[in-house]
């Protein structure tokens, strides 16, 4: 968990509810592949709660939201995380997956580029949450 990103991720989760799995392991480390974590995976339709660290959850057939968070202006690094996280989560068999790039400021050129991809969205966290995280 990140001192800068966790308050932002939790703010977003508080807006939509569901079960928040922080630092969700979407791809384990193995020969020839690195470990991949999401800042948050939200399972919609579950009671609002933050799961204990390391909780595994079978998302097959569920509606989920993948959250990648940076306390900065939207950049290409965060865009890549959001776009490819969506595809990594799809491999787990959810009913639907929405991917959110959560940041402290939008970028007028990059935001429409990311949002041109199906189910990818940019969400700007309120300044008071971002300042509190810094």
């Amino acid at each position: 968990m990140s001192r800068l990103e966790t308050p932002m991720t939790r703010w977003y989760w508080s807006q939509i509810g569901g079960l928040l799995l922080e630092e969700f392991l979407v791809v384990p480390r193995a020969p020839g592949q690195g470990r991949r974590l999401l800042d948050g995976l939200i399972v919609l339709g579950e009671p609002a709660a933050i799961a204990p660290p390391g909780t595994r959850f079978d998302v097959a057939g569920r509606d989920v939201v993948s959250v990648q968070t940076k306390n900065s202006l939207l950049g290409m690094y965060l865009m890549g995380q959001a776009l490819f996280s969506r595809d990594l989560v799809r491999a787990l068999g959810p009913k639907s997956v929405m991917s959110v790039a959560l940041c402290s400021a939008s970028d007028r050129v990059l935001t429409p580029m990311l949002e041109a991809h199906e189910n990818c969205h940019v969400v700007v966290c309120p300044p008071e949450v971002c300042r509190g995280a810094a």
Side-chain angles (χ1 to χ4, degrees):
M1 293 189 7
S2 164
R3 181 179 63 82
L4 297 176
E5 297 167 354
T6 299
M8 294 171 65
T9 302
R10 288 180 176 185
W11 168 83
Y12 178 72
W13 160 75
S14 74
Q15 306 305 299
I16 65 169
L19 177 65
L20 173 60
L21 300 141
E22 296 174 309
E23 299 296 317
F24 182 79
L25 179 66
V26 69
V27 176
R29 184 181 323 272
Q33 73 184 33
R35 181 175 81 142
R36 302 289 180 254
L37 298 170
L38 308 177
D39 291 320
L41 183 74
I42 301 170
V43 183
L44 301 174
E46 289 290 314
I50 299 174
T55 299
R56 296 298 301 157
F57 193 97
D58 182 6
V59 300
R62 305 302 299 270
D63 294 313
V64 298
V65 179
S66 168
V67 182
Q68 293 289 9
T69 307
K70 293 286 176 257
N71 191 352
S72 63
L73 175 71
L74 176 67
M76 291 173 55
Y77 180 81
L78 180 58
M79 288 174 62
Q81 283 186 307
L83 179 62
F84 294 115
S85 292
R86 176 198 65 178
D87 296 342
L88 291 172
V89 172
R90 280 181 177 165
L92 301 177
K95 179 180 175 185
S96 70
V97 58
M98 180 174 70
S99 185
V100 169
L102 181 60
C103 53
S104 59
S106 182
D107 182 286
R108 65 182 176 88
V109 173
L110 297 180
T111 295
M113 292 176 73
L114 179 60
E115 291 186 340
H117 294 272
E118 180 183 13
N119 295 326
C120 289
H121 304 279
V122 175
V123 175
V124 176
C125 199
E128 61 273 13
V129 175
C130 296
R131 279 193 300 271

